[in-house]
Amino acid sequence: MTEAIEGYLFYEIAALLVLAAGVGFLGLMLRQPLIVSFIAVGILAGPSALDLARSDQQIDLLAELGIALLLFLVGLKLDFNLVRTLGPVALVTGLGQVIFTTVFGFLIAIALGIDALTAIYVAIALTFSSTIIIVKLLSDKREIDALHGRIALGFLIVQDVVVVVAMIALSAIGVGGAATGDGAVADVLAVLGYGLAMLVFVLLFIRYIASPLVEQLARSPELLVSFAIGWAALLAAVGHYLGFGKELGGLLAGVSLASTPFREAIAARLASLRDFLLLFFFIALGASLDLSVLGASVGPAIVLSLFVLIGNPLIVLTIMGVMGYRKRTGFLAGLTVAQISEFSLIFMAMGVTIGHVSESALGLVTLVGLVTIAASTYMITFSHQLYRVFEPVLGPFERRSPKAEPEGGTGIAQHYDTIIFGLGRYGLGIASALRDEGRHILGVDFSPAAVRNARQMGYETQFGDATDPEFLAHLPLKQARWLVMTVPEHDTGVTHDDPRQALLKAVDDLGFKGKVAVAAHQDPTAERLASSGADLVLMPYRDAAFAAAAMIAGEASEPRYTIEDPDGQRELPA
């Protein structure tokens, strides 16, 4: 079997896909995060087990294309106004976490008996968090647009810049052998200059080229998708060539198209391709974890893993609390840095190549990576449950009057008839109809962009998360007759959280006396929600069919208004 796979690349890829499907299905049955299953696939396919993943270059190529698409799709969602708003907290939190982890990581490594030079390498390696894994998890949980998701993305970008500087400096010192001292500084400054030049290019592209170009390409949906993939790969390649990484290049490619009216359509069509290609990233990551070099590193690895899993979130929570953010936002953002990155392994491997550190040091960081990536995946997946557990002891991490978070509204009126959670097209449609009937509406969403859009349409809004009991306790629930949750279940991703169930439980605990309506797409889900206390289960497709039939039969009139897409996007032509 292994001889046949070794002789033909197609057999190897087929075997990896079948293995991934099998392990992924087993993980699904055991209710495990999909990322953990895919990393396990990499370990099984690697040299320490079945030794199926032998075409490293081909697998790495697919993985790198997946990374470029992932960051491209993140860039499509970026809002320049939000970037300006969150820039200071991202910079302070990112640099603060890097400094904290480096200093205390070095001291812990010294205390564990590691020599000073190796301790420096280990400490720096512990500062890097995996942008790819975090963005994937937050995207699957649909929290990349939440405030804590945007802040996390911001300080991950800061970390990526630190990674670039560290890699360049290390390459200048040892790998190339040509540059030392001033040469290393010159290399760093050159990369920063290239990055600034690329940013200027992207801004000019946005200003003069992006919209008219995409407008023409959109006449053929297939051509638009091909262009988007090619554009993401091109800027990722340019970023790599200029020295600041494929990740930042792919991100800038997405930002360059974020202002176009077709960004949501592009994102929807590329999501499945992104997930398929990222499978190979996790396979490559798992296959790179050489279990044979771990040896006697178990004890120190446990200590360093606990430092990363506990210390990194604590410093982020502390910094964000000092800057005026709520403890919940700081906690959820802090969990995203509770692991080390694939770049940590690359950084240590470079140290081995130079001769600064030994193979055992690489094995130590490898084991820390395996533990923290797996553990933090669960921590991020079940972040809201963890917050409910630790919320009573997080008081010292929040100011009495946190002022940094956007209120996103025009203030709380004396009372509202209806509070709507979820200000997408469906939620705004319900809000428009109820407002026409004279109802007083309060809209709630955890996306700053959705809140801003609804406010521009004349609605009173609040920025917040419907799954946060503390936030719900501050809403004017006493006079409300209806709470309406328009957000459906997560039909994909690694999390099994259901925001509707969380809302039903929270308002029941708060003693809410009104009625609750929730949205669902499937009959079994509707039955479960009804049994959990929902007074009305909305089924958008079924309800729309009955409404359409009533209009056709002349028993109802056509709606007098239209609902614009909250993000100002429009679908591709049919």
Side-chain angles (χ1 to χ4, degrees):
M1 179 66 179
T2 56
E3 291 78 6
I5 291 176
E6 185 178 6
Y8 190 23
L9 177 61
F10 184 83
Y11 295 160
E12 179 181 336
I13 298 297
L16 290 174
L17 292 176
V18 171
L19 181 63
V23 174
F25 179 74
L26 179 61
L28 182 65
M29 293 296 99
L30 297 174
R31 298 182 67 83
Q32 301 304 302
L34 199 57
I35 286 179
V36 173
S37 298
F38 284 167
I39 293 175
V41 171
I43 295 174
L44 289 174
S48 301
L50 301 177
D51 197 21
L52 297 177
R54 301 184 179 185
S55 302
D56 295 338
Q57 291 184 344
Q58 290 82 356
I59 292 174
D60 288 343
L61 173 62
L62 294 172
E64 289 170 356
L65 187 56
I67 292 169
L69 279 182
L70 174 67
L71 274 298
F72 171 77
L73 294 179
V74 171
L76 277 177
K77 298 287 187 178
L78 282 185
D79 184 320
F80 275 115
N81 292 325
L82 198 64
V83 170
R84 285 198 298 268
T85 302
L86 300 182
V89 66
L91 184 63
V92 173
T93 306
L95 292 179
Q97 183 266 319
V98 167
I99 294 171
F100 168 86
T101 306
T102 301
V103 172
F104 285 90
F106 174 78
L107 296 176
I108 292 173
I110 291 294
L112 291 172
I114 299 173
D115 66 271
L117 182 58
T118 302
I120 292 174
Y121 270 84
V122 171
I124 294 175
L126 297 182
T127 65
F128 306 150
S129 300
S130 179
T131 302
I132 293 90
I133 291 177
I134 294 168
V135 170
K136 172 63 175 168
L137 283 167
L138 292 179
S139 297
D140 284 345
K141 292 188 70 179
R142 302 182 185 182
E143 294 181 3
I144 195 69
D145 290 325
L147 180 62
H148 67 271
R150 295 296 181 94
I151 293 173
L153 178 61
F155 59 64
L156 287 171
I157 292 174
V158 173
Q159 280 191 6
D160 285 344
V161 173
V162 175
V163 169
V164 169
V165 172
M167 295 290 190
I168 294 168
L170 196 59
S171 297
I173 290 170
V175 175
T180 58
D182 294 339
V185 174
D187 286 345
V188 171
L189 293 177
V191 169
L192 293 177
Y194 291 141
L196 182 61
M198 192 166 180
L199 182 60
V200 171
F201 166 75
V202 167
L203 292 175
L204 292 174
F205 180 86
I206 293 171
R207 178 67 178 83
Y208 297 106
I209 302 174
S211 291
L213 175 62
V214 173
E215 190 81 30
Q216 294 298 317
L217 292 170
R219 296 179 179 179
S220 170
E222 294 83 0
L223 180 59
L224 180 59
V225 170
S226 298
F227 165 76
I229 297 172
W231 184 242
L234 174 62
L235 264 65
V238 171
H240 182 268
Y241 179 78
L242 296 179
F244 52 85
K246 295 181 290 294
E247 293 78 16
L248 294 183
L251 186 72
L252 287 176
V255 169
S256 70
L257 300 181
S259 61
T260 65
F262 297 102
R263 68 174 189 180
E264 294 298 330
I266 294 172
R269 283 159 172 76
L270 291 183
S272 298
L273 178 61
R274 171 205 63 191
D275 292 340
F276 171 73
L277 293 174
L278 280 178
L279 165 64
F280 293 96
F281 165 77
F282 293 113
I283 289 176
L285 177 62
S288 68
L289 300 176
D290 188 355
L291 305 185
S292 65
V293 302
L294 301 184
S297 301
V298 175
I302 292 175
V303 174
L304 293 173
S305 296
L306 290 174
F307 168 65
V308 172
L309 292 169
I310 299 173
N312 282 358
L314 278 178
I315 188 60
V316 170
L317 181 60
T318 301
I319 293 173
M320 291 183 63
V322 170
M323 296 187 71
Y325 286 86
R326 294 173 57 217
K327 58 189 178 183
R328 186 174 188 273
T329 304
F331 181 85
L332 295 179
L335 291 182
T336 63
V337 294
Q339 87 287 113
I340 66 173
S341 168
E342 63 281 359
F343 289 116
S344 303
L345 306 182
I346 297 172
F347 182 78
M348 293 300 295
M350 293 175 70
V352 172
T353 301
I354 297 171
H356 287 175
V357 298
S358 64
E359 287 282 348
S360 61
L362 175 59
L364 170 63
V365 174
T366 298
L367 186 53
V368 172
L370 187 60
V371 171
T372 58
I373 288 172
S376 68
T377 298
Y378 290 101
M379 291 166 66
I380 297 172
T381 299
F382 302 105
S383 57
H384 299 284
Q385 293 93 323
L386 285 174
Y387 175 76
R388 288 195 288 270
V389 171
F390 290 103
E391 190 273 337
V393 299
L394 297 179
F397 297 98
E398 178 178 282
R399 289 183 179 181
R400 291 187 177 181
S401 300
K403 299 179 179 179
E405 298 197 15
E407 292 295 333
T410 55
I412 295 291
Q414 62 274 19
H415 75 274
Y416 296 94
D417 301 308
T418 306
I419 301 176
I420 297 179
F421 297 92
L423 298 176
R425 182 180 298 173
Y426 185 53
L428 288 176
I430 294 175
S432 296
L434 291 176
R435 185 167 63 175
D436 284 355
E437 297 295 328
R439 297 288 186 93
H440 297 286
I441 307 296
L442 174 66
V444 178
D445 205 299
F446 73 177
S447 167
V451 168
R452 183 171 58 252
N453 176 75
R455 189 167 66 250
Q456 290 171 350
M457 296 174 65
Y459 294 99
E460 295 192 60
T461 59
Q462 282 293 305
F463 173 86
D465 191 340
T467 64
D468 181 4
E470 181 182 346
F471 169 73
L472 292 173
H474 289 86
L475 287 178
L477 300 178
K478 189 173 182 180
Q479 302 297 328
R481 295 164 56 189
W482 278 95
L483 303 183
V484 182
M485 166 67 87
T486 66
V487 180
E489 68 269 22
H490 298 307
D491 51 1
T492 59
V494 299
T495 177
H496 302 283
D497 290 346
D498 190 331
R500 300 159 304 178
Q501 295 275 17
L503 176 68
L504 290 169
K505 182 179 185 305
V507 297
D508 182 64
D509 292 342
L510 291 170
F512 177 64
K513 302 301 183 183
K515 296 183 177 181
V516 182
V518 295
H521 290 318
Q522 300 177 3
D523 289 334
T525 305
E527 294 173 3
R528 186 178 72 250
L529 292 170
S531 65
S532 297
D535 299 284
L536 174 64
V537 179
L538 304 169
M539 302 194 68
Y541 295 112
R542 180 201 65 185
D543 299 343
F546 280 111
M551 286 187 287
I552 293 171
E555 299 173 2
S557 59
E558 185 178 349
R560 301 184 304 275
Y561 41 78
T562 59
I563 305 301
E564 296 181 0
D565 190 299
D567 291 321
Q569 310 299 310
R570 61 176 180 270
E571 290 296 328
L572 289 170

